């Protein structure tokens, strides 16, 4: 018969829990950049508008597409614009996501390449 101390069992249990958390952490943090604006709305956003970008004001500028924002009970178009790039990053656009309780706007953000 192998004897084990209560301290050994506690340490083993903690080690197993830490190992399991380590495997789960990539899933838990997969959407760490997700930031929703406002509450869910039941009215689906219209399709994006076609925008004329024109020439960038400076070489290398990035065009941030327009998007629909929920304001005072209706969708309002926010026009796109040119912006200075961020070295080592790319622009991840605003997007509407359909969830159980309706539609939610996920705010755009700069993400590392």
């Amino acid at each position: 018969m192998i004897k084990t101390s209560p301290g050994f069992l506690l340490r083993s249990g903690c080690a197993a829990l830490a190992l399991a958390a380590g495997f789960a952490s990539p899933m838990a943090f997969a959407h760490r950049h997700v930031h929703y604006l406002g509450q869910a709305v039941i009215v689906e956003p219209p399709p994006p508008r076609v925008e004329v970008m024109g020439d960038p004001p400076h070489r290398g500028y990035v065009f941030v597409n327009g998007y629909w924002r929920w304001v005072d009970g209706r969708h309002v178009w926010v026009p796109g614009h040119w912006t200075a790039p961020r070295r080592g990053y790319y622009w991840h656009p605003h997007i509407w996501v359909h969830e159980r309780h309706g539609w939610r706007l996920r705010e755009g953000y700069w993400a590392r390449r």
Side-chain angles (χ1 to χ4, degrees):
M1 181 172 180
I2 300 173
K3 290 186 178 183
T4 56
S5 69
F8 174 79
L9 292 175
L10 180 61
R11 286 189 304 275
S12 297
C14 289
L17 183 61
L19 184 60
F23 286 123
S25 66
M27 291 180 281
F29 298 105
H31 298 287
R32 69 176 183 218
H33 293 291
V34 173
H35 178 78
Y36 292 102
L37 297 177
Q39 299 295 322
V41 297
I42 55 175
V43 180
E44 181 178 2
R49 289 186 176 173
V50 176
E51 296 183 292
V52 178
M53 296 188 298
D55 294 328
H58 301 285
R59 185 176 177 198
Y61 265 46
V62 175
F63 190 79
V64 174
N65 291 327
Y67 62 98
W68 292 102
R69 180 179 286 265
W70 186 254
V71 179
D72 296 329
R74 66 188 182 96
H75 289 286
V76 176
W77 182 252
V78 177
H81 62 277
W82 289 100
T83 189
R86 291 183 59 188
R87 175 176 264 155
Y89 289 80
Y90 69 95
W91 176 251
H92 197 286
H94 293 76
I95 187 169
W96 281 91
V97 178
H98 189 251
E99 296 180 335
R100 189 173 73 163
H101 298 292
W103 292 88
R104 298 205 55 199
L105 177 61
R106 188 186 71 200
E107 187 175 33
Y109 60 92
W110 289 99
R112 277 199 172 277
R113 292 187 189 271

